[in-house]
Amino acid sequence: MSKTSQQLFERAQKVMPGGVNSPVRAFKSVGLTPKFIDKAKGNKIYDIEGNEYLDYVGSWGPMILGHADPKVVQAVQCRVEKGLSFGACTELEVELAELITSNIQHIDMIRMVNSGTEAVMSALRLARGYTKKNKIIKFEGCYHGHSDAMLVKAGSGAMTFGDPDSAGVTKGAAEDTLLARYNDLNSVEALMKENKEDVACVIVEATAANMGVVPAAAGFLAGLRSLCDQYGALLIFDEVITGFRLAFGGAAAYFGVMPDLVTYGKIIGGGMPVGAYGGRREIMENVSPMGSVYQAGTLSGNPIAMTAGIETLKQLLSEPEIYDRINEMGAYLADGLRRISGFTVNNIGSLVCMFYTKEPVADYDSACKSDTVGFSHVFRELLAEGIYVAPSQYEAMFLNTAFTKEELNFTIETYRKILTR
Ligand SMILES: *Cc1c(COP(=O)(O)O)cnc(C)c1O
Protein backbone atom coordinates (compact mmCIF):
# COMPACT_ATOMS: atom_id res chain seq x y z
CA MET A 1 0.00 0.00 0.00
CA SER A 2 1.24 3.49 -0.68
CA LYS A 3 1.96 5.49 2.43
CA THR A 4 0.75 8.98 3.22
CA SER A 5 2.51 11.79 5.06
CA GLN A 6 -0.17 11.45 7.75
CA GLN A 7 0.57 7.74 8.28
CA LEU A 8 4.29 8.32 8.37
CA PHE A 9 3.95 11.21 10.80
CA GLU A 10 1.94 9.00 13.15
CA ARG A 11 4.69 6.38 13.05
CA ALA A 12 7.38 9.05 13.41
CA GLN A 13 5.80 10.61 16.51
CA LYS A 14 5.97 7.25 18.31
CA VAL A 15 9.71 6.93 17.87
CA MET A 16 11.08 10.46 17.46
CA PRO A 17 10.32 13.50 19.66
CA GLY A 18 7.63 15.42 17.79
CA GLY A 19 8.16 13.05 14.88
CA VAL A 20 11.14 15.02 13.61
CA ASN A 21 14.88 15.49 13.83
CA SER A 22 14.68 19.29 13.81
CA PRO A 23 11.77 21.18 15.40
CA VAL A 24 10.50 23.55 12.66
CA ARG A 25 9.96 20.59 10.34
CA ALA A 26 7.03 19.48 12.48
CA PHE A 27 4.80 22.27 11.01
CA LYS A 28 3.54 22.85 14.55
CA SER A 29 3.28 26.63 14.29
CA VAL A 30 1.10 26.34 11.19
CA GLY A 31 -1.07 23.54 12.55
CA LEU A 32 -0.53 21.01 9.79
CA THR A 33 0.93 17.57 9.30
CA PRO A 34 4.36 17.96 7.70
CA LYS A 35 4.82 16.78 4.13
CA PHE A 36 7.13 13.80 3.87
CA ILE A 37 9.43 14.41 0.95
CA ASP A 38 10.30 11.80 -1.62
CA LYS A 39 12.57 13.71 -3.99
CA ALA A 40 13.46 17.08 -5.40
CA LYS A 41 14.87 18.49 -8.61
CA GLY A 42 15.78 22.08 -9.43
CA ASN A 43 13.30 24.27 -7.57
CA LYS A 44 10.61 21.58 -7.29
CA ILE A 45 10.09 19.31 -4.34
CA TYR A 46 7.80 16.24 -4.31
CA ASP A 47 6.05 14.70 -1.34
CA ILE A 48 5.47 10.98 -1.03
CA GLU A 49 1.89 11.38 -2.26
CA GLY A 50 3.40 12.66 -5.50
CA ASN A 51 2.40 16.33 -5.11
CA GLU A 52 4.77 18.85 -6.66
CA TYR A 53 5.67 22.12 -4.92
CA LEU A 54 7.64 25.16 -5.92
CA ASP A 55 10.27 25.08 -3.20
CA TYR A 56 11.32 28.33 -1.50
CA VAL A 57 13.09 26.53 1.34
CA GLY A 58 15.90 24.85 -0.57
CA SER A 59 16.85 22.76 2.46
CA TRP A 60 17.06 26.06 4.41
CA GLY A 61 19.67 27.51 2.11
CA PRO A 62 22.17 24.97 0.82
CA MET A 63 20.54 24.32 -2.54
CA ILE A 64 21.65 27.51 -4.25
CA LEU A 65 22.13 25.57 -7.50
CA GLY A 66 18.75 23.92 -7.16
CA HIS A 67 18.13 20.36 -5.97
CA ALA A 68 20.02 17.43 -7.43
CA ASP A 69 22.32 19.55 -9.54
CA PRO A 70 23.68 17.12 -12.17
CA LYS A 71 27.36 17.98 -11.62
CA VAL A 72 27.12 17.73 -7.85
CA VAL A 73 25.19 14.46 -8.01
CA GLN A 74 27.59 12.93 -10.49
CA ALA A 75 30.68 13.90 -8.51
CA VAL A 76 29.16 12.42 -5.36
CA GLN A 77 28.18 9.21 -7.16
CA CYS A 78 31.72 8.74 -8.46
CA ARG A 79 33.22 9.44 -5.09
CA VAL A 80 30.95 7.06 -3.17
CA GLU A 81 32.54 4.10 -4.97
CA LYS A 82 35.84 4.82 -3.25
CA GLY A 83 34.50 4.52 0.27
CA LEU A 84 32.40 6.66 2.55
CA SER A 85 34.77 7.67 5.31
CA PHE A 86 38.37 7.07 6.34
CA GLY A 87 38.92 9.32 9.35
CA ALA A 88 42.19 10.23 7.70
CA CYS A 89 43.54 12.98 5.46
CA THR A 90 42.25 13.32 1.89
CA GLU A 91 43.09 15.63 -1.01
CA LEU A 92 39.45 16.75 -1.06
CA GLU A 93 39.80 18.58 2.25
CA VAL A 94 42.79 20.50 0.94
CA GLU A 95 40.93 21.29 -2.26
CA LEU A 96 37.87 22.72 -0.52
CA ALA A 97 40.03 24.71 1.91
CA GLU A 98 42.07 26.13 -0.99
CA LEU A 99 38.96 27.02 -2.98
CA ILE A 100 37.86 29.15 -0.05
CA THR A 101 41.14 30.68 1.14
CA SER A 102 42.30 31.60 -2.35
CA ASN A 103 39.02 33.34 -3.20
CA ILE A 104 38.10 34.97 0.09
CA GLN A 105 40.51 37.60 1.23
CA HIS A 106 39.80 37.48 4.96
CA ILE A 107 40.21 33.72 5.30
CA ASP A 108 43.77 32.43 5.54
CA MET A 109 42.97 29.12 7.21
CA ILE A 110 39.83 27.08 7.73
CA ARG A 111 38.72 24.04 9.76
CA MET A 112 35.90 21.78 8.54
CA VAL A 113 33.26 20.51 10.95
CA ASN A 114 29.85 18.88 10.46
CA SER A 115 27.25 21.59 11.05
CA GLY A 116 26.75 25.30 11.52
CA THR A 117 26.15 24.74 15.21
CA GLU A 118 29.50 23.06 15.57
CA ALA A 119 31.23 25.79 13.56
CA VAL A 120 29.85 28.51 15.84
CA MET A 121 30.57 26.60 19.04
CA SER A 122 34.18 26.09 17.91
CA ALA A 123 34.67 29.67 16.71
CA LEU A 124 33.48 30.99 20.09
CA ARG A 125 35.90 28.72 21.93
CA LEU A 126 38.68 29.91 19.65
CA ALA A 127 37.80 33.56 20.21
CA ARG A 128 37.90 33.02 23.97
CA GLY A 129 41.12 31.02 23.77
CA TYR A 130 42.80 33.61 21.57
CA THR A 131 41.73 36.74 23.46
CA LYS A 132 41.80 35.08 26.91
CA LYS A 133 38.53 36.85 27.61
CA ASN A 134 35.21 35.29 28.61
CA LYS A 135 32.17 37.22 27.45
CA ILE A 136 30.38 37.09 24.14
CA ILE A 137 28.06 39.67 22.62
CA LYS A 138 25.24 38.32 20.47
CA PHE A 139 22.16 40.02 19.08
CA GLU A 140 18.51 39.44 19.91
CA GLY A 141 16.89 37.48 17.13
CA CYS A 142 20.13 36.15 15.66
CA TYR A 143 20.35 32.36 15.52
CA HIS A 144 23.73 30.72 15.78
CA GLY A 145 22.81 27.07 16.17
CA HIS A 146 21.88 25.28 19.37
CA SER A 147 25.04 25.31 21.50
CA ASP A 148 24.30 26.26 25.11
CA ALA A 149 25.90 29.70 25.09
CA MET A 150 23.92 30.75 22.02
CA LEU A 151 20.47 29.69 23.24
CA VAL A 152 19.64 33.04 24.76
CA LYS A 153 17.63 35.92 23.46
CA ALA A 154 16.09 38.94 25.16
CA GLY A 155 14.07 38.44 28.31
CA SER A 156 12.53 41.89 28.28
CA GLY A 157 14.49 43.62 25.61
CA ALA A 158 16.64 45.00 28.38
CA MET A 159 20.29 44.39 27.90
CA THR A 160 21.06 42.17 30.80
CA PHE A 161 22.88 38.95 31.34
CA GLY A 162 21.19 36.31 29.28
CA ASP A 163 18.58 34.00 30.58
CA PRO A 164 18.57 30.59 28.92
CA ASP A 165 16.02 30.14 26.16
CA SER A 166 15.84 26.39 26.55
CA ALA A 167 15.45 24.02 29.46
CA GLY A 168 18.69 22.24 30.20
CA VAL A 169 20.91 25.26 29.66
CA THR A 170 22.47 26.25 32.96
CA LYS A 171 22.59 29.82 34.13
CA GLY A 172 26.36 29.44 34.05
CA ALA A 173 26.44 28.43 30.38
CA ALA A 174 24.46 31.50 29.42
CA GLU A 175 25.69 34.13 31.84
CA ASP A 176 28.69 35.11 29.73
CA THR A 177 26.41 35.76 26.75
CA LEU A 178 25.48 39.44 26.53
CA LEU A 179 22.58 40.55 24.39
CA ALA A 180 22.55 43.59 22.14
CA ARG A 181 19.95 44.97 19.73
CA TYR A 182 20.43 44.30 16.05
CA ASN A 183 21.29 47.43 14.04
CA ASP A 184 21.90 49.35 17.27
CA LEU A 185 25.56 50.22 17.80
CA ASN A 186 24.82 52.10 21.02
CA SER A 187 23.61 48.90 22.63
CA VAL A 188 26.91 47.23 21.72
CA GLU A 189 29.02 50.11 22.92
CA ALA A 190 27.19 50.14 26.26
CA LEU A 191 27.99 46.44 26.77
CA MET A 192 31.61 46.94 25.73
CA LYS A 193 31.97 49.74 28.27
CA GLU A 194 30.34 47.80 31.07
CA ASN A 195 32.48 44.72 30.40
CA LYS A 196 35.54 46.54 29.23
CA GLU A 197 38.26 44.04 29.78
CA ASP A 198 36.29 40.90 29.21
CA VAL A 199 34.51 40.75 25.82
CA ALA A 200 36.11 38.03 23.68
CA CYS A 201 33.98 38.58 20.62
CA VAL A 202 30.90 39.96 18.95
CA ILE A 203 29.07 37.35 16.89
CA VAL A 204 26.55 38.56 14.34
CA GLU A 205 24.59 37.39 11.34
CA ALA A 206 25.85 40.06 8.95
CA THR A 207 22.36 39.96 7.53
CA ALA A 208 19.98 38.41 9.98
CA ALA A 209 17.96 35.64 8.35
CA ASN A 210 16.52 33.80 11.34
CA MET A 211 14.09 36.49 12.52
CA GLY A 212 12.88 36.82 8.99
CA VAL A 213 15.31 38.70 6.79
CA VAL A 214 16.76 41.78 8.48
CA PRO A 215 19.65 43.32 6.56
CA ALA A 216 22.41 45.15 8.40
CA ALA A 217 21.69 48.88 8.30
CA ALA A 218 24.20 51.25 6.69
CA GLY A 219 27.24 51.61 8.92
CA PHE A 220 26.20 48.88 11.38
CA LEU A 221 28.86 46.33 10.44
CA ALA A 222 31.59 48.94 10.00
CA GLY A 223 30.61 50.28 13.42
CA LEU A 224 30.94 46.80 14.93
CA ARG A 225 34.36 46.50 13.33
CA SER A 226 35.57 49.70 15.00
CA LEU A 227 34.05 48.85 18.37
CA CYS A 228 35.74 45.44 18.31
CA ASP A 229 39.08 47.03 17.43
CA GLN A 230 38.68 49.65 20.12
CA TYR A 231 37.87 47.13 22.86
CA GLY A 232 40.14 44.29 21.74
CA ALA A 233 37.34 41.88 20.84
CA LEU A 234 37.14 39.66 17.76
CA LEU A 235 34.38 40.20 15.20
CA ILE A 236 32.75 36.96 14.07
CA PHE A 237 30.40 36.93 11.10
CA ASP A 238 28.10 33.95 11.22
CA GLU A 239 27.82 33.36 7.48
CA VAL A 240 26.03 30.02 7.72
CA ILE A 241 23.24 31.48 5.55
CA THR A 242 24.93 34.45 3.87
CA GLY A 243 28.21 32.74 3.01
CA PHE A 244 28.47 31.92 -0.72
CA ARG A 245 24.95 33.35 -1.09
CA LEU A 246 25.08 37.16 -0.98
CA ALA A 247 28.35 36.84 -2.86
CA PHE A 248 31.00 34.14 -2.97
CA GLY A 249 32.73 36.03 -0.16
CA GLY A 250 29.40 36.25 1.69
CA ALA A 251 28.14 39.24 3.62
CA ALA A 252 31.73 40.34 4.34
CA ALA A 253 32.38 40.82 0.63
CA TYR A 254 28.89 42.19 0.00
CA PHE A 255 29.23 44.88 2.67
CA GLY A 256 33.01 45.31 2.43
CA VAL A 257 33.58 44.79 6.15
CA MET A 258 36.20 42.24 7.19
CA PRO A 259 35.53 40.03 10.20
CA ASP A 260 38.28 38.24 12.15
CA LEU A 261 36.50 34.89 12.01
CA VAL A 262 33.72 33.49 9.86
CA THR A 263 31.46 30.51 10.39
CA TYR A 264 29.95 28.53 7.53
CA GLY A 265 27.34 25.83 7.08
CA LYS A 266 24.53 25.13 4.61
CA ILE A 267 25.89 26.03 1.11
CA ILE A 268 29.46 24.97 1.96
CA GLY A 269 28.30 21.33 1.99
CA GLY A 270 26.15 21.56 -1.14
CA GLY A 271 23.42 19.65 0.71
CA MET A 272 25.71 17.39 2.75
CA PRO A 273 26.39 18.01 6.45
CA VAL A 274 29.34 20.40 6.51
CA GLY A 275 30.22 23.41 8.61
CA ALA A 276 33.47 25.31 8.89
CA TYR A 277 35.15 28.15 10.69
CA GLY A 278 38.02 30.18 9.39
CA GLY A 279 39.76 33.50 9.47
CA ARG A 280 43.06 35.22 10.06
CA ARG A 281 46.12 33.00 10.26
CA GLU A 282 47.37 34.17 13.65
CA ILE A 283 43.99 33.35 15.16
CA MET A 284 43.46 30.01 13.40
CA GLU A 285 46.95 28.88 14.43
CA ASN A 286 45.58 28.54 17.94
CA VAL A 287 43.44 25.56 16.92
CA SER A 288 44.61 22.09 17.95
CA PRO A 289 47.01 20.40 17.05
CA MET A 290 48.84 23.64 16.22
CA GLY A 291 47.56 25.53 19.23
CA SER A 292 45.86 24.96 22.54
CA VAL A 293 42.18 25.36 21.54
CA TYR A 294 40.88 21.82 21.25
CA GLN A 295 38.39 20.82 18.57
CA ALA A 296 38.03 17.53 16.70
CA GLY A 297 35.59 15.44 14.64
CA THR A 298 35.44 11.79 13.57
CA LEU A 299 33.59 12.59 10.37
CA SER A 300 34.95 16.12 9.82
CA GLY A 301 36.15 16.65 6.27
CA ASN A 302 34.20 13.60 5.14
CA PRO A 303 35.10 12.83 1.51
CA ILE A 304 31.53 12.63 0.21
CA ALA A 305 30.56 15.86 1.96
CA MET A 306 33.72 17.61 0.73
CA THR A 307 32.93 16.50 -2.82
CA ALA A 308 29.43 18.01 -2.73
CA GLY A 309 30.87 21.23 -1.31
CA ILE A 310 33.68 21.44 -3.86
CA GLU A 311 31.36 20.91 -6.83
CA THR A 312 28.92 23.50 -5.53
CA LEU A 313 31.54 26.16 -4.82
CA LYS A 314 33.34 25.48 -8.12
CA GLN A 315 30.18 26.23 -10.05
CA LEU A 316 29.59 29.41 -8.08
CA LEU A 317 33.15 30.51 -8.85
CA SER A 318 33.07 29.60 -12.52
CA GLU A 319 29.71 31.30 -13.15
CA PRO A 320 29.78 34.52 -11.11
CA GLU A 321 26.76 35.77 -13.12
CA ILE A 322 24.74 33.33 -10.98
CA TYR A 323 24.76 35.99 -8.26
CA ASP A 324 23.50 38.74 -10.57
CA ARG A 325 20.70 36.44 -11.65
CA ILE A 326 19.47 35.19 -8.30
CA ASN A 327 19.87 38.61 -6.70
CA GLU A 328 17.81 40.19 -9.46
CA MET A 329 15.17 37.49 -8.92
CA GLY A 330 15.20 38.29 -5.21
CA ALA A 331 14.53 41.98 -5.86
CA TYR A 332 11.82 41.11 -8.40
CA LEU A 333 9.99 38.78 -6.02
CA ALA A 334 10.27 41.28 -3.16
CA ASP A 335 8.92 44.14 -5.31
CA GLY A 336 6.02 42.03 -6.47
CA LEU A 337 5.08 40.85 -3.00
CA ARG A 338 5.34 44.39 -1.63
CA ARG A 339 3.11 45.70 -4.41
CA ILE A 340 0.32 43.18 -3.97
CA SER A 341 0.33 43.02 -0.16
CA GLY A 342 1.30 46.44 1.15
CA PHE A 343 3.26 44.55 3.82
CA THR A 344 6.90 45.05 4.72
CA VAL A 345 8.98 42.83 2.47
CA ASN A 346 12.68 42.72 3.34
CA ASN A 347 15.13 41.58 0.73
CA ILE A 348 18.83 41.29 0.25
CA GLY A 349 20.35 39.32 -2.59
CA SER A 350 18.42 36.08 -3.03
CA LEU A 351 16.83 36.21 0.44
CA VAL A 352 13.29 37.52 0.75
CA CYS A 353 10.90 37.77 3.68
CA MET A 354 7.38 39.10 3.76
CA PHE A 355 6.50 40.29 7.26
CA TYR A 356 2.78 40.37 8.02
CA THR A 357 3.01 43.98 9.18
CA LYS A 358 3.24 47.37 7.52
CA GLU A 359 5.82 48.65 10.01
CA PRO A 360 9.47 48.60 8.98
CA VAL A 361 11.41 45.63 10.42
CA ALA A 362 14.97 46.38 11.51
CA ASP A 363 15.42 44.32 14.66
CA TYR A 364 13.92 41.62 16.85
CA ASP A 365 11.24 43.79 18.45
CA SER A 366 9.95 45.10 15.13
CA ALA A 367 10.05 41.58 13.65
CA CYS A 368 7.85 40.41 16.52
CA LYS A 369 5.08 42.80 15.44
CA SER A 370 4.32 40.51 12.54
CA ASP A 371 0.93 38.80 12.48
CA THR A 372 1.96 35.16 12.76
CA VAL A 373 -1.64 33.93 12.67
CA GLY A 374 -2.06 35.71 9.34
CA PHE A 375 1.14 34.04 8.22
CA SER A 376 0.01 30.54 9.08
CA HIS A 377 -3.29 31.07 7.28
CA VAL A 378 -1.47 32.14 4.11
CA PHE A 379 1.07 29.33 4.55
CA ARG A 380 -1.67 26.69 4.44
CA GLU A 381 -3.25 28.15 1.34
CA LEU A 382 0.09 28.49 -0.43
CA LEU A 383 0.82 24.85 0.25
CA ALA A 384 -2.54 23.87 -1.21
CA GLU A 385 -1.64 25.89 -4.33
CA GLY A 386 1.70 24.10 -4.67
CA ILE A 387 4.01 26.68 -3.12
CA TYR A 388 6.28 25.44 -0.33
CA VAL A 389 7.64 28.19 1.93
CA ALA A 390 9.19 27.68 5.35
CA PRO A 391 6.53 26.89 7.96
CA SER A 392 7.46 29.93 10.06
CA GLN A 393 7.15 33.68 9.71
CA TYR A 394 10.72 34.09 10.89
CA GLU A 395 12.46 32.31 8.03
CA ALA A 396 13.66 33.50 4.65
CA MET A 397 12.46 32.55 1.18
CA PHE A 398 15.58 31.19 -0.52
CA LEU A 399 15.96 31.57 -4.27
CA ASN A 400 18.17 29.38 -6.40
CA THR A 401 19.36 29.25 -10.00
CA ALA A 402 16.40 27.14 -11.12
CA PHE A 403 13.78 29.86 -10.60
CA THR A 404 12.24 31.62 -13.60
CA LYS A 405 10.40 34.95 -13.82
CA GLU A 406 7.23 33.02 -14.72
CA GLU A 407 7.43 31.07 -11.49
CA LEU A 408 7.98 34.24 -9.51
CA ASN A 409 4.97 35.83 -11.24
CA PHE A 410 2.90 32.75 -10.43
CA THR A 411 4.00 33.03 -6.82
CA ILE A 412 3.19 36.75 -6.57
CA GLU A 413 -0.20 36.18 -8.23
CA THR A 414 -0.97 33.30 -5.86
CA TYR A 415 -0.16 35.46 -2.84
CA ARG A 416 -2.41 38.18 -4.27
CA LYS A 417 -5.27 35.73 -4.73
CA ILE A 418 -4.91 34.39 -1.19
CA LEU A 419 -4.54 37.78 0.47
CA THR A 420 -7.62 39.20 -1.27
CA ARG A 421 -9.83 36.19 -0.55
C1 LIG B 1 21.33 27.29 10.29
C2 LIG B 1 22.18 28.24 11.03
C3 LIG B 1 23.08 27.81 12.02
C4 LIG B 1 23.15 26.38 12.50
O1 LIG B 1 23.57 25.51 11.51
P1 LIG B 1 23.17 23.95 11.65
O2 LIG B 1 23.89 23.31 10.51
O3 LIG B 1 21.69 23.88 11.57
O4 LIG B 1 23.70 23.49 12.96
C5 LIG B 1 23.94 28.74 12.58
N1 LIG B 1 23.89 30.03 12.21
C6 LIG B 1 23.04 30.48 11.28
C7 LIG B 1 23.08 31.91 10.88
C8 LIG B 1 22.14 29.60 10.68
O5 LIG B 1 21.25 30.06 9.79
Side-chain angles (χ1 to χ4, degrees), residues 22 60 114-120 142-146 203-210 238-242 263-266 273-275 395 398:
S22 195
W60 308 90
N114 304 288
S115 70
T117 294
E118 208 187 329
V120 167
C142 282
Y143 180 66
H144 301 291
H146 64 86
I203 183 163
V204 65
E205 286 185 78
T207 275
N210 286 287
D238 181 346
E239 299 243 35
V240 169
I241 283 184
T242 51
T263 55
Y264 289 124
K266 302 188 173 126
V274 182
E395 304 285 351
F398 294 91

Coordinates of all heavy atoms in Angstrom, one line a residue, residues 22 60 114-120 142-146 203-210 238-242 263-266 273-275 395 398, ligand 1:
S22 N 14.4 17.9 13.6 CA 14.7 19.3 13.8 C 13.3 20.0 13.9 O 12.4 19.7 13.1 CB 15.5 19.8 12.6 OG 16.0 21.1 12.9
W60 N 16.7 24.9 3.5 CA 17.1 26.1 4.4 C 18.3 26.8 3.9 O 19.1 27.3 4.7 CB 17.2 25.6 5.9 CG 16.0 24.9 6.3 CD1 15.8 23.5 6.3 CD2 14.8 25.4 6.9 NE1 14.5 23.2 6.7 CE2 13.9 24.4 7.1 CE3 14.4 26.7 7.2 CZ2 12.6 24.5 7.7 CZ3 13.1 26.9 7.7 CH2 12.2 25.8 8.0
N114 N 31.0 19.6 11.1 CA 29.8 18.9 10.5 C 28.5 19.6 10.4 O 27.5 19.2 9.9 CB 29.6 17.6 11.2 CG 30.9 16.7 11.2 OD1 31.3 16.2 10.1 ND2 31.6 16.6 12.3
S115 N 28.5 20.8 11.1 CA 27.2 21.6 11.0 C 27.6 23.0 11.4 O 28.7 23.3 11.9 CB 26.2 21.0 12.1 OG 26.7 21.3 13.4
G116 N 26.6 23.9 11.2 CA 26.7 25.3 11.5 C 26.9 25.5 13.0 O 27.7 26.3 13.5
T117 N 26.1 24.7 13.8 CA 26.2 24.7 15.2 C 27.6 24.5 15.7 O 28.1 25.2 16.5 CB 25.2 23.7 15.8 OG1 23.9 24.0 15.5 CG2 25.4 23.6 17.3
E118 N 28.2 23.4 15.2 CA 29.5 23.1 15.6 C 30.5 24.1 15.2 O 31.5 24.4 15.9 CB 29.8 21.7 14.9 CG 30.8 20.9 15.6 CD 31.2 19.7 14.8 OE1 30.4 19.1 14.0 OE2 32.4 19.2 15.0
A119 N 30.3 24.7 14.0 CA 31.2 25.8 13.6 C 31.2 27.0 14.5 O 32.2 27.5 15.0 CB 30.8 26.3 12.2
V120 N 30.0 27.4 14.9 CA 29.8 28.5 15.8 C 30.4 28.2 17.2 O 31.2 29.0 17.8 CB 28.4 28.9 16.0 CG1 28.1 29.8 17.2 CG2 27.8 29.5 14.7
C142 N 19.2 36.9 16.5 CA 20.1 36.1 15.7 C 20.2 34.7 16.1 O 20.3 34.5 17.3 CB 21.5 36.8 15.7 SG 21.6 38.3 14.7
Y143 N 20.2 33.8 15.2 CA 20.3 32.4 15.5 C 21.7 31.9 15.1 O 22.2 32.2 14.1 CB 19.3 31.5 14.8 CG 19.4 30.0 15.0 CD1 19.1 29.5 16.3 CD2 19.7 29.1 14.0 CE1 19.2 28.2 16.5 CE2 19.8 27.8 14.3 CZ 19.5 27.3 15.5 OH 19.6 25.9 15.8
H144 N 22.4 31.2 16.1 CA 23.7 30.7 15.8 C 23.8 29.2 16.1 O 24.9 28.8 16.5 CB 24.7 31.5 16.6 CG 24.7 33.0 16.3 ND1 25.1 33.5 15.1 CD2 24.3 34.0 17.1 CE1 25.0 34.8 15.2 NE2 24.5 35.2 16.3
G145 N 22.8 28.5 15.8 CA 22.8 27.1 16.2 C 22.4 26.9 17.6 O 22.1 27.8 18.3
H146 N 22.5 25.6 18.1 CA 21.9 25.3 19.4 C 22.9 25.0 20.5 O 22.6 24.3 21.4 CB 20.9 24.1 19.2 CG 21.5 22.8 18.8 ND1 22.1 22.0 19.7 CD2 21.7 22.3 17.5 CE1 22.6 20.9 19.0 NE2 22.4 21.1 17.7
I203 N 29.5 38.2 18.0 CA 29.1 37.3 16.9 C 27.8 37.9 16.3 O 26.8 38.2 17.0 CB 28.9 35.9 17.3 CG1 28.6 35.0 16.1 CG2 27.9 35.7 18.5 CD1 28.8 33.5 16.3
V204 N 27.7 37.9 15.0 CA 26.6 38.6 14.3 C 26.3 37.9 13.0 O 27.2 37.4 12.3 CB 26.8 40.1 14.1 CG1 27.9 40.3 13.2 CG2 25.5 40.8 13.7
E205 N 25.0 37.7 12.7 CA 24.6 37.4 11.3 C 24.7 38.7 10.6 O 23.9 39.6 10.8 CB 23.1 36.9 11.3 CG 22.9 35.5 11.8 CD 21.4 35.1 11.6 OE1 21.1 34.7 10.5 OE2 20.7 35.2 12.6
A206 N 25.6 38.8 9.6 CA 25.9 40.1 9.0 C 24.7 40.5 8.1 O 24.6 41.6 7.7 CB 27.1 40.0 8.1
T207 N 23.7 39.6 7.9 CA 22.4 40.0 7.5 C 21.6 38.9 8.3 O 21.8 37.7 8.1 CB 22.1 39.8 6.0 OG1 22.5 41.0 5.4 CG2 20.6 39.6 5.7
A208 N 20.7 39.4 9.2 CA 20.0 38.4 10.0 C 19.0 37.7 9.1 O 18.3 38.3 8.3 CB 19.3 39.1 11.1
A209 N 18.9 36.4 9.2 CA 18.0 35.6 8.3 C 17.2 34.6 9.2 O 16.7 33.6 8.6 CB 18.7 35.0 7.2
N210 N 17.2 34.7 10.5 CA 16.5 33.8 11.3 C 15.5 34.5 12.2 O 15.0 33.9 13.2 CB 17.5 33.0 12.2 CG 18.3 32.0 11.4 OD1 17.7 30.9 11.0 ND2 19.5 32.2 11.1
D238 N 28.7 35.3 11.4 CA 28.1 33.9 11.2 C 27.5 34.0 9.8 O 26.5 34.6 9.6 CB 27.0 33.7 12.3 CG 26.4 32.3 12.1 OD1 26.6 31.7 11.0 OD2 25.7 31.9 13.0
E239 N 28.2 33.4 8.9 CA 27.8 33.4 7.5 C 27.2 32.0 7.1 O 27.4 31.6 5.9 CB 29.0 33.7 6.6 CG 29.6 35.1 6.9 CD 29.6 36.0 5.7 OE1 28.5 36.0 4.9 OE2 30.5 36.8 5.5
V240 N 26.6 31.3 8.0 CA 26.0 30.0 7.7 C 25.0 30.2 6.6 O 24.9 29.3 5.7 CB 25.5 29.3 9.0 CG1 24.7 28.1 8.7 CG2 26.6 29.0 9.9
I241 N 24.2 31.3 6.6 CA 23.2 31.5 5.6 C 23.8 32.4 4.5 O 23.7 32.1 3.3 CB 21.9 32.1 6.1 CG1 21.1 31.0 6.8 CG2 21.1 32.7 4.9 CD1 19.8 31.5 7.3
T242 N 24.5 33.5 4.9 CA 24.9 34.5 3.9 C 26.2 34.0 3.1 O 26.4 34.6 2.0 CB 25.2 35.8 4.6 OG1 26.1 35.5 5.7 CG2 23.9 36.4 5.1
T263 N 32.0 31.9 10.3 CA 31.5 30.5 10.4 C 30.6 30.2 9.2 O 29.9 31.1 8.7 CB 30.6 30.3 11.7 OG1 29.6 31.3 11.7 CG2 31.4 30.5 12.9
Y264 N 30.7 29.0 8.7 CA 30.0 28.5 7.5 C 29.1 27.3 7.9 O 29.4 26.6 8.8 CB 30.9 28.1 6.4 CG 31.6 29.3 5.7 CD1 33.0 29.3 5.7 CD2 30.9 30.3 5.1 CE1 33.7 30.4 5.1 CE2 31.5 31.4 4.5 CZ 32.9 31.4 4.5 OH 33.6 32.4 3.9
G265 N 28.1 27.1 7.0 CA 27.3 25.8 7.1 C 26.5 25.9 5.8 O 26.8 26.6 4.9
K266 N 25.5 25.0 5.7 CA 24.5 25.1 4.6 C 25.2 25.1 3.2 O 25.7 24.0 2.9 CB 23.6 26.3 4.8 CG 22.9 26.2 6.1 CD 21.7 27.2 6.4 CE 21.0 26.7 7.7 NZ 20.9 27.7 8.8
P273 N 26.1 17.3 5.2 CA 26.4 18.0 6.4 C 27.8 18.5 6.6 O 28.7 17.7 6.9 CB 26.1 16.9 7.5 CG 25.6 15.8 6.7 CD 26.0 15.9 5.3
V274 N 28.0 19.8 6.3 CA 29.3 20.4 6.5 C 29.2 21.8 7.2 O 28.2 22.5 6.9 CB 30.0 20.6 5.1 CG1 31.4 21.3 5.4 CG2 30.2 19.4 4.3
G275 N 30.1 22.1 8.1 CA 30.2 23.4 8.6 C 31.7 23.7 8.6 O 32.5 22.9 8.3
E395 N 11.5 32.9 8.9 CA 12.5 32.3 8.0 C 12.5 33.1 6.7 O 11.5 33.8 6.4 CB 12.1 30.8 7.8 CG 12.0 30.0 9.0 CD 13.3 29.6 9.7 OE1 14.4 29.9 9.1 OE2 13.2 29.1 10.8
F398 N 14.3 31.3 0.1 CA 15.6 31.2 -0.5 C 15.4 31.0 -2.0 O 14.7 30.0 -2.4 CB 16.3 30.0 0.1 CG 16.7 30.1 1.5 CD1 15.8 29.7 2.5 CD2 17.9 30.6 1.9 CE1 16.2 29.7 3.8 CE2 18.3 30.7 3.2 CZ 17.4 30.3 4.2
Ligands
LIG1 C1 21.3 27.3 10.3 C2 22.2 28.2 11.0 C3 23.1 27.8 12.0 C4 23.1 26.4 12.5 O1 23.6 25.5 11.5 P1 23.2 23.9 11.6 O2 23.9 23.3 10.5 O3 21.7 23.9 11.6 O4 23.7 23.5 13.0 C5 23.9 28.7 12.6 N1 23.9 30.0 12.2 C6 23.0 30.5 11.3 C7 23.1 31.9 10.9 C8 22.1 29.6 10.7 O5 21.3 30.1 9.8

